[in-house]
Amino acid sequence: MQTNNQTSGIIDLQYGGGGEQMNKLLDDVVFHYLRNDILNVRHDGAFLDLEGRLAFSTDSYVVSPLFFKGGNIGDLAVNGTVNDLAMCGAVPRYLSLAFIIEEGFAMQRFVDIVKSIRMAASHAGVQVVTGDTKVVEHGKGDGIYINTSGIGTLHARAAIGIDNIREGDAVLVNASIATHGMAIMSEREGLQFGSDIVSDTAPLNHTVLTLMERFGGGIRFLRDATRGGLASILHEIATAGCFGIDLVEERLPVLSDVRNACELLGLDPVYVANEGVFICVVPDSIREAVLETLRIEDPAAAHIGTITTDHPGKIISASAFGGRHVVHPLVGEQLPRIC
Amino acid sequence: MQTNNQTSGIIDLQYGGGGEQMNKLLDDVVFHYLRNDILNVRHDGAFLDLEGRLAFSTDSYVVSPLFFKGGNIGDLAVNGTVNDLAMCGAVPRYLSLAFIIEEGFAMQRFVDIVKSIRMAASHAGVQVVTGDTKVVEHGKGDGIYINTSGIGTLHARAAIGIDNIREGDAVLVNASIATHGMAIMSEREGLQFGSDIVSDTAPLNHTVLTLMERFGGGIRFLRDATRGGLASILHEIATAGCFGIDLVEERLPVLSDVRNACELLGLDPVYVANEGVFICVVPDSIREAVLETLRIEDPAAAHIGTITTDHPGKIISASAFGGRHVVHPLVGEQLPRIC
C-alpha cells in the first residue's frame, strides 16, 4: 500500500490493528471506492436524517466460493440486506459494512469485492455510511466474511405481516427458483455441470417499491427465499398461523439447466437457496394484477399456490400427474455456506 | 436441542442452514434469552419508531480468547457498539446481532455468551431487535465472531466533531488506560502475570448522557480508545486539523498491575487497547467541571494534555523529569485480536 493505486500484495494482521496500516487500507480502498458525504465524516458512527417508521436488518455473508458466476460476496452482501429491508416494505437507505478478513487475503481480491459493493449499492440506491475492518490469523477465517446491516424507511402504504395472510390468498413467486444455490454448487470443486448457471443475486427493492405504490396493503406478506430455499419460507407461513398451502408443482419456475443440475445431484429445487427470489402473498382478487407487475421484471413470475385451511401447518404439492405429496421442512442444511 | 433448556452438545453446520435446526437454535437460545416485543416479530428486519437525527455504527468482535477476566465476547459486542454510538453524542437504542459460529462450538458456551449479551444490553438500556446466525466449517473461524450494529438517537444538545476542537482545549480521559489489553494478554497462553487484571469493558452511554445534559456543545470531541489504544485517537486528532497535543506523561492513569505487566512485556500503555476508556476534548474553561462529572464514575479520570498549535500533527509527551518525546503513531498492531 505504497500509493493510492497499489493493490498488489496481501492483507496481513497489521492491517487490522487500528494503527497506520489500517488507516491506509481504509483510505486507499474502502474510502476510496465507497466515499460519500456521510461516510467521509469518518467518525465511529454515521449521522443520519431519517423520518417516519424504520426497518433495521442485519446479515453476515460467508459464501464459499467468494466469487461465482453472476456475482461475488460483495454484491451478495449489499443485495441480501437491501432485500431483507425491502421484504419489510421499506425503502433501503443506509448500510453498514463490516469485514472479517483472513490474514493472507489478496489485496486485489479485496479491491474487487469493494468495487462490487460500490456497484451493488449504486444499483440498489443505498449508501454505505459506516464500517469496520478486522483481520484474523490464517486458518481462523475463510478469505473474507462480510456483515452488512441496513436501515430503511417504511413505505407509507406498507402493511406487511405474516398475520395478515388469509384463507384463499394467492402465493406468488417473482422469479425462477434454485438458481443461486446451483450457481454456487457449479463453482465448487468437482461439480461442473457443463452449463452456465448464473446466480440470481439482485436488489429487489425497486420491484417491491412498485408493488407498494400500486397495491399498498394488498401485499400481505413478502419474504425472500434465501437459505433453506422456497420450502423454508412456505413452512414459516404454514407454522405461523392456522393455514396450510396447496402448491402446484408444475407452476414452480425452474430454469431447465438448474432443473437438470438438481436432478443430477438429487436435490429438490424447493430446498435450494436463492438470492433474488421472493414469495408474495396477496388476496386472490389482485393476483393477476400483481403477477403482471412482477412479470415486467421477470416473465417467470408465477402463481404457485393457495393458502388453505384444509391442512393447517402442511404444504401439499400436487404434481401434474395427479399425485400429491407433503413438502417437509428442511432439516439441517442441504448446501452449506451458500450466502 | 431436545427441549427448551437443553444446552449440551455442540453446534454443527446443520444449525446454520436455514432449516428446522436453525429455528430450534434461535427459539431455544437467542429468542429465549433476548426476547422483546420488536425481536419477537421475527421478520427478517425489525420495525422501529425513532424520531430526530440518528447515529448508526457497526463493529465485528473477534477477540481471542472469547472469555477473559471481566467479560467475554458477548458483553464486549454490546458495549463496543453502544460506546461507538455514545461517542457520537447519541443515546443508543437498538442493536442488531449477527453470529458467525465455527462448527463444533459448545452449545453451553454459546448460551453463556447470549446470556452476557442479555445482561450487557440491559445495563446499557438497549434492545437487540434483529439478528442473523451463520455456521462455518471447523477451521474456518475461531469459535465465534459477533457483529453488532447499533442505532441511537442523537442528543439534542450534542455537537461533537473533530472540527470543533480549538487551541488551548483540554484533553481528558475518563478512566485508567491499557487495562483491557493487558487483561486479554494475561489470559493468553504463557502470559500469567500473577495478578488479577480485569477488563474495563463497560457501557459508556450513561456517562456520556450526563455530559450531554450538563455541558451540551461544550463537549467538543469524544472517542473511545479501543484498538490502537490512546495513542491512535490522539493521532486522529493531531492529523485531522492543524493542531498538536502536549501530553503530560505522569497524568496518564494506569493501574499499577497494568503498568507492571506492560513493563514486563515492553509495551507502552498508550498503544494498548481499551474498552471502557474515552477521550473527551473540552474548552479549558469547563475542564474542572467535566472532570468532576467524570470522576463520579471513576476517580482515575484525568486531564492528560492540551491542544496546541506549537507542533501541528505531533503529540509531544513531557515526562516528570523534564524530558520530552514524540508519541509516534502505532504502526501495525501491538496486540492482535484484542476486541
Side-chain angles (χ1 to χ4, degrees):
Chain A
M1 302 297 294
Q2 301 294 312
T3 75
N4 272 355
N5 295 316
Q6 183 156 348
T7 54
S8 60
I10 58 151
I11 297 175
D12 62 25
L13 282 176
Q14 302 214 333
Y15 285 96
E20 285 220 310
Q21 268 177 293
M22 194 178 85
N23 287 334
K24 280 194 74 58
L25 180 71
L26 296 180
D27 284 339
D28 294 356
V29 184
V30 181
F31 290 111
H32 180 71
Y33 289 107
L34 301 178
R35 60 183 174 274
N36 61 57
D37 287 348
I38 304 174
L39 186 66
N40 291 353
V41 173
R42 298 190 63 161
H43 207 343
D44 265 353
F47 298 108
L48 310 177
D49 288 300
L50 284 169
E51 279 182 24
R53 208 154 186 232
L54 304 181
F56 182 31
S57 187
T58 192
D59 238 322
S60 296
Y61 299 84
V62 298
V63 66
S64 173
L66 298 170
F67 290 78
F68 46 84
K69 284 202 185 80
N72 64 51
I73 191 171
D75 35 49
L76 210 62
V78 171
N79 291 336
T81 295
V82 159
N83 292 348
D84 282 346
L85 293 171
M87 295 303 125
C88 297
V91 177
R93 300 284 303 277
Y94 300 113
L95 294 187
S96 65
L97 174 65
F99 299 109
I100 298 176
I101 304 171
E102 185 187 8
E103 180 184 21
F105 194 63
M107 186 64 77
Q108 184 57 55
R109 299 200 99 193
F110 182 63
V111 171
D112 289 343
I113 288 166
V114 173
K115 283 181 181 173
S116 293
I117 288 169
R118 177 177 63 174
M119 191 170 294
S122 164
H123 285 167
V126 296
Q127 284 186 310
V128 173
V129 293
T130 189
D132 179 56
T133 303
K134 295 288 193 302
V135 183
V136 297
E137 296 92 338
H138 182 71
K140 305 291 188 188
D142 196 13
I144 190 166
Y145 296 142
I146 301 180
N147 176 282
T148 53
S149 301
I151 301 178
T153 43
L154 217 62
H155 192 279
R157 298 190 63 202
I160 291 162
I162 206 160
D163 298 340
N164 299 340
I165 295 173
R166 296 286 174 269
E167 187 181 2
D169 280 357
V171 180
L172 314 179
V173 67
N174 72 311
S176 298
I177 65 168
T179 315
H180 175 72
M182 299 320 292
I184 296 295
M185 289 301 276
S186 81
E187 292 288 341
R188 290 194 184 157
E189 209 172 357
L191 288 166
Q192 298 296 337
F193 306 127
S195 67
D196 279 326
I197 300 173
V198 175
S199 168
D200 61 347
T201 179
L204 299 169
N205 55 319
H206 305 303
T207 306
V208 171
L209 182 59
T210 307
L211 292 178
M212 291 298 111
E213 298 287 344
R214 290 196 189 165
F215 305 103
I219 308 298
R220 291 183 165 162
F221 184 69
L222 290 176
R223 185 65 64 92
D224 55 339
T226 55
R227 271 190 298 179
L230 195 72
S232 295
I233 304 305
L234 297 178
H235 271 282
E236 201 178 324
I237 296 172
T239 51
C242 35
F243 300 115
I245 300 173
D246 280 323
L247 213 58
V248 186
E249 199 175 281
E250 84 242 37
R251 291 198 201 148
L252 287 175
V254 187
L255 297 171
S256 63
D257 277 357
V258 172
R259 190 180 292 281
N260 293 341
C262 283
E263 277 172 11
L264 197 70
L265 295 170
L267 297 172
D268 185 333
V270 297
Y271 297 112
V272 176
N274 310 281
E275 281 300 324
V277 172
F278 68 95
I279 285 290
C280 178
V281 181
V282 301
D284 200 58
S285 57
I286 62 168
R287 185 189 72 204
E288 287 307 314
V290 175
L291 266 180
E292 211 170 282
T293 304
L294 293 175
R295 284 180 179 148
I296 298 168
E297 283 297 315
D298 190 334
H303 172 215
I304 60 169
T306 307
I307 302 291
T308 177
T309 48
D310 288 350
H311 41 79
K314 277 206 175 70
I315 296 156
I316 302 215
S317 181
S319 78
F321 313 105
R324 284 162 63 88
H325 73 276
V326 174
V327 178
H328 292 286
L330 176 64
V331 176
E333 69 177 336
Q334 210 170 33
L335 302 171
R337 309 277 305 280
I338 208 77
C339 60
Chain B
M1 304 300 293
Q2 301 294 311
T3 75
N4 271 354
N5 295 314
Q6 184 157 345
T7 54
S8 61
I10 59 151
I11 297 175
D12 62 25
L13 281 176
Q14 302 214 331
Y15 285 97
E20 285 221 309
Q21 268 177 293
M22 194 178 84
N23 287 334
K24 280 193 74 58
L25 181 72
L26 295 179
D27 284 340
D28 295 356
V29 183
V30 180
F31 290 111
H32 180 71
Y33 289 108
L34 301 178
R35 61 183 173 273
N36 62 57
D37 287 349
I38 303 174
L39 186 66
N40 292 353
V41 172
R42 298 190 65 163
H43 207 342
D44 265 354
F47 297 108
L48 310 177
D49 288 300
L50 284 169
E51 279 184 23
R53 209 155 183 231
L54 304 181
F56 181 31
S57 187
T58 192
D59 238 323
S60 296
Y61 299 84
V62 298
V63 66
S64 173
L66 298 171
F67 290 77
F68 46 84
K69 283 200 186 82
N72 64 52
I73 192 172
D75 34 48
L76 210 63
V78 172
N79 291 336
T81 295
V82 159
N83 292 349
D84 283 345
L85 293 171
M87 296 303 124
C88 297
V91 177
R93 299 285 303 277
Y94 299 112
L95 294 186
S96 65
L97 174 65
F99 299 109
I100 298 176
I101 305 171
E102 186 188 7
E103 182 185 20
F105 195 62
M107 185 64 77
Q108 183 57 55
R109 299 200 100 193
F110 182 62
V111 171
D112 289 343
I113 287 166
V114 174
K115 282 181 180 172
S116 293
I117 288 169
R118 175 177 63 174
M119 193 169 294
S122 165
H123 285 167
V126 296
Q127 284 187 312
V128 173
V129 294
T130 188
D132 179 56
T133 303
K134 295 288 192 304
V135 183
V136 296
E137 295 91 339
H138 181 71
K140 304 291 187 187
D142 196 13
I144 190 167
Y145 296 141
I146 302 180
N147 176 283
T148 53
S149 301
I151 301 178
T153 43
L154 218 61
H155 192 279
R157 300 189 62 202
I160 291 163
I162 206 159
D163 298 339
N164 299 339
I165 295 173
R166 295 287 174 270
E167 186 181 5
D169 279 358
V171 180
L172 314 180
V173 67
N174 72 312
S176 298
I177 65 168
T179 315
H180 175 72
M182 299 320 290
I184 297 294
M185 288 301 276
S186 82
E187 292 287 342
R188 289 194 185 157
E189 211 173 354
L191 287 166
Q192 297 296 334
F193 305 128
S195 68
D196 279 325
I197 301 173
V198 175
S199 167
D200 61 347
T201 177
L204 299 169
N205 55 320
H206 304 304
T207 306
V208 171
L209 183 59
T210 307
L211 292 177
M212 291 298 112
E213 297 287 343
R214 290 195 189 164
F215 305 103
I219 307 298
R220 290 182 166 163
F221 184 69
L222 289 176
R223 185 66 64 94
D224 55 339
T226 55
R227 273 189 297 177
L230 196 71
S232 295
I233 303 306
L234 297 177
H235 271 284
E236 201 177 325
I237 295 172
T239 51
C242 37
F243 300 116
I245 300 173
D246 279 323
L247 212 58
V248 185
E249 198 175 280
E250 84 242 36
R251 290 197 200 149
L252 287 175
V254 188
L255 297 171
S256 62
D257 277 357
V258 173
R259 189 179 293 282
N260 294 341
C262 283
E263 279 172 11
L264 196 70
L265 295 171
L267 297 172
D268 186 333
V270 298
Y271 297 112
V272 177
N274 311 281
E275 281 299 325
V277 172
F278 68 96
I279 285 289
C280 178
V281 181
V282 300
D284 200 57
S285 57
I286 62 167
R287 183 189 73 205
E288 288 306 315
V290 174
L291 267 180
E292 211 171 280
T293 303
L294 293 175
R295 284 179 178 146
I296 297 167
E297 284 296 316
D298 190 333
H303 172 214
I304 60 168
T306 307
I307 302 291
T308 176
T309 50
D310 289 351
H311 41 80
K314 277 207 174 68
I315 297 156
I316 303 216
S317 181
S319 77
F321 313 105
R324 283 162 62 88
H325 73 276
V326 173
V327 179
H328 292 287
L330 176 65
V331 177
E333 69 176 335
Q334 213 170 29
L335 302 171
R337 309 278 306 281
I338 209 76
C339 58

